[in-house]
Amino acid sequence: MQKPGAGKDACMLLDYNSLLLAVGFSAACLSLTLFGTWMAARSDKFLLTWAVSVLVVVVEVFAYDAYIARPGTALGVLTLALLLLGFSVMLGAAYQFRTRRSPLPLIALGAGTSYALALPPMALGYDGLGFMLENALAALLLFGTAYEYWRGRAEAPVHLIGVALLYSLTAASFVLCAAVLAWDGKLVLGHAPSNWAEDLSLVIVIASMTGIGALSLALNQGRHARHHQREAQTDALTGLLNRRALFDLHGKAPVSAFTAVVVFDLDGFKAINDQFGHAAGDEVLKVFAEVLSADLRPNDSVARMGGEEFAMVLRRTLPETAEATAERVRAAFAARTVETETGPLRCTVSAGFAFGSSDGMSFDKVLSAADKALYAAKRGGRNRVLDFRRAG
C-alpha cells in the first residue's frame, strides 16, 4: 500500500495518489457499512471488530498520503504502526467470526510482534528495511486471516473459500513488495517505496477489498438466516429439536424396519409443578434433555415434542439395541437428583418404542405406535420401557 505518486507518467489514467485516496474512501464506506450492519445485529461482534480494523487502515491511507508529500521518521513510524495494527485487528475479527471468542489476545500478539520487528528500523532511520519488514509482516497477518476463514469454511464453503483466497491474494501482493525491496537491497530510501510491485499491490488491494466486502456481507446475511432457522426448530428451554424440526427431518421419508422411534414421558410431572413450582419443573425438563442427548450416535436425533413428552429416533438399530438405549436413559434419569429451592428431587420416566416396516411406514404411524407402547408402560406401573409388540 506504500507508493509515492511523484514522478509517475502523466499519461496514466490515474496516478498512485488518486488510487491511494480511492482505497481510503472506499474503505471508509466499507467501515461505515460494517458498523451499520453491526448496529442492526449487536450479537455479531466480529462486525464491529472488522469495522474498526478497516477504519484503522483508512487512517493509515491518509497518513501515508501525507508521508508521500513530506517523508519523515515520525510519520513513517505512524504509518507502519497503523497498517500493522489494522491488519492485526482484521486477523482478530476473522478469529472472532470463526470461534465467537474475544479477539483481543490475538490482536495484541499480532500487533506487538510486528511492532517489535518493524518499528525500530524505521525509528532509527532505516526506512527501506522498515518498509521491507512492514510488507512481510502485513503478508503474514493477511495469510493468518485467510487461514482463519479457511478453517471455518464448513459453515459456508463457497463464501469462506472465496474470502480466504482474496485475503491470500492480497497477502501475496505484499510478499511481492517485500521481495522487490529486498532485491534492491537499500536499507535507507529517504522516501516512500516506488516500484512496479507497489502499483500491482494497490490494484490487488482495491479489487480484493471489493470482493471481500461483498462476500463477507453475504456471509453474514446467510449466518443470520441459518440462526433464525435454528431458532424456529429448537426448543428454547432444553435446546433440543422441537416437534416441527423432528417432522422436518423424518416426517416425509418412510420409516424402515431398522429405524426405531422411542417416546418418553416424565412420570407425575404435573405433581412436580404443583408441589415444587414451575421453575423446578423446568429444571427437571433440562436435566432429562441432558440425559436424553448423552451418548447419541451421529445419525440419531432427539426432540421435545411438547410439555413433558420427548422423542428419540434411532437409525440402523435392532429391537434389543433400541430397548437397551431407552433403558439406559430411563435408569440414568432415575439416578439423577435435581436440586430445587425446596430440596432435592428424584424423578422417573416411562418410554415406549416401535419400529418401521420392511416396505416403509409413515413416521406418523410409527410415532403413534410408540405412543401406544408408552401409555401401556404408564398403565403397567410407570418407570419402565415397553416395546409396541408387547404392549397389546
Side-chain angles (χ1 to χ4, degrees), residues 180-206:
V180 170
L181 288 172
W183 180 263
D184 285 345
K186 294 181 180 179
L187 299 182
V188 179
L189 294 176
H191 56 77
S194 175
N195 56 65
W196 61 269
E198 299 286 340
D199 291 335
L200 178 61
S201 177
L202 185 58
V203 172
I204 291 174
V205 167
I206 294 172

Side-chain angles (χ1 to χ4, degrees), residues 280-301:
D282 288 346
E283 188 61 30
V284 169
L285 292 172
K286 288 190 282 188
V287 168
F288 180 72
E290 179 185 327
V291 171
L292 183 63
S293 56
D295 301 324
L296 276 182
R297 300 177 304 171
N299 289 330
D300 298 338
S301 52

